Amino acid sequence: MLSMDRLIGEFDRALRAVAGVARSSRPSPGEGVLESELGVAERAQAAALMRVNHVGEVCAQALYQGQSLTARNEEAKRALRKAAEEEEDHLAWSADRIRELGGRLSLLNPVWYAGSFAIGAAAGTLGDKWNLAFLAETERQVEAHLSGHLEALPPEDRRTRSVVEAMRADEAKHRNTAIQLGAAELPSAVKLAMRFASKVMTTVAYRI
Ligand SMILES: [Fe+2]
Ligand SMILES: [Fe+2]
């Protein structure tokens, strides 16, 4: 049974995720990197890509929250909580970078959050092996997605790139943790459905 404190804590986390006021425990990797001269179009492009990444992190928060509420194994729970903390850093870093670039967060954040929470909780009820399988695949797809963004970002925008690179390194670590904890391999139809869902999310979030 969940305690009231835990529920309030999770709710607070959800609200902060959606509103873009996450707290980071590690400073942003962009902090030490000088701002480069960017044209209007380049700034807009970088801000839109970071908005997509921010939405990805909102979804990650919701997924991890949904999963940690349903996970059974103590070790898995701890690993999920640790990863969720790092995802919260990503959330804060990307929101900060969007503000620096003069962009805005996705207007649909509450929708992304609710959908991902439901998926995470559903995956959690299938048991830890599948819970972790889902997580490993999500992290793998996010990692691939961030690699694509590193190609699409203006090459001279080193400050944004340093944030994306650090996030990608964390996602790789999260995927390995899930595998080490005993993640199963998802059926390819499920992986395909996940790719499709993320394509919809990224296409919409790039604009709205
Ligand atoms: Fe992340
Ligand atoms: Fe991650």
Side-chain angles (χ1 to χ4, degrees):
M1 199 43 202
L2 283 170
S3 72
M4 202 56 192
D5 281 357
R6 174 86 198 277
L7 267 182
I8 292 171
E10 297 293 343
F11 188 61
D12 173 61
R13 208 185 174 104
L15 285 181
R16 281 188 285 115
V18 167
V21 288
R23 291 188 282 252
S24 66
S25 52
R26 295 169 292 170
S28 171
E31 254 174 39
V33 182
L34 275 185
E35 192 70 74
S36 2
E37 285 280 337
L38 294 174
V40 175
E42 287 165 325
R43 274 185 100 79
Q45 161 79 342
L49 292 172
M50 287 311 276
R51 176 164 59 244
V52 173
N53 290 337
H54 182 262
V55 166
E57 297 300 336
V58 168
C59 293
Q61 275 301 304
L63 275 177
Y64 275 111
Q65 261 190 303
Q67 287 176 307
S68 72
L69 292 178
T70 47
R72 284 147 231 186
N73 171 317
E74 270 313 312
E75 201 188 352
K77 265 191 198 171
R78 249 196 318 275
L80 289 169
R81 232 171 284 141
K82 170 91 174 68
E85 265 170 42
E86 295 184 351
E87 301 295 1
E88 200 168 0
D89 287 346
H90 299 174
L91 200 59
W93 298 344
S94 42
D96 285 350
R97 189 58 190 142
I98 290 169
R99 287 186 198 105
E100 286 176 1
L101 289 162
R104 56 160 182 79
L105 304 179
S106 170
L107 302 171
L108 296 175
N109 276 345
V111 178
W112 306 128
Y113 191 93
S116 302
F117 184 85
I119 294 171
T125 61
L126 298 175
D128 288 339
K129 192 174 95 176
W130 294 107
N131 196 359
L132 292 165
F134 187 72
L135 206 142
E137 178 60 17
T138 304
E139 296 287 3
R140 199 190 58 73
Q141 291 193 13
V142 173
E143 216 182 307
H145 177 82
L146 292 174
S147 295
H149 275 193
L150 283 171
E151 273 163 39
L153 277 168
E156 61 275 38
D157 188 359
R158 291 190 19 253
R159 199 163 156 111
T160 304
R161 303 180 74 84
S162 63
V163 174
V164 175
E165 275 161 8
M167 279 163 50
R168 186 174 61 172
D170 279 348
E171 315 304 12
K173 201 173 62 185
H174 298 159
R175 174 171 52 86
N176 285 330
T177 306
I179 292 169
Q180 272 161 21
L181 284 168
E185 184 74 19
L186 287 179
S188 32
V190 177
K191 289 184 188 173
L192 208 70
M194 287 168 70
R195 261 206 296 277
F196 177 73
S198 102
K199 184 77 202 156
V200 172
M201 182 277 270
T202 51
T203 309
V204 175
Y206 187 80
R207 287 160 210 288
I208 307 175

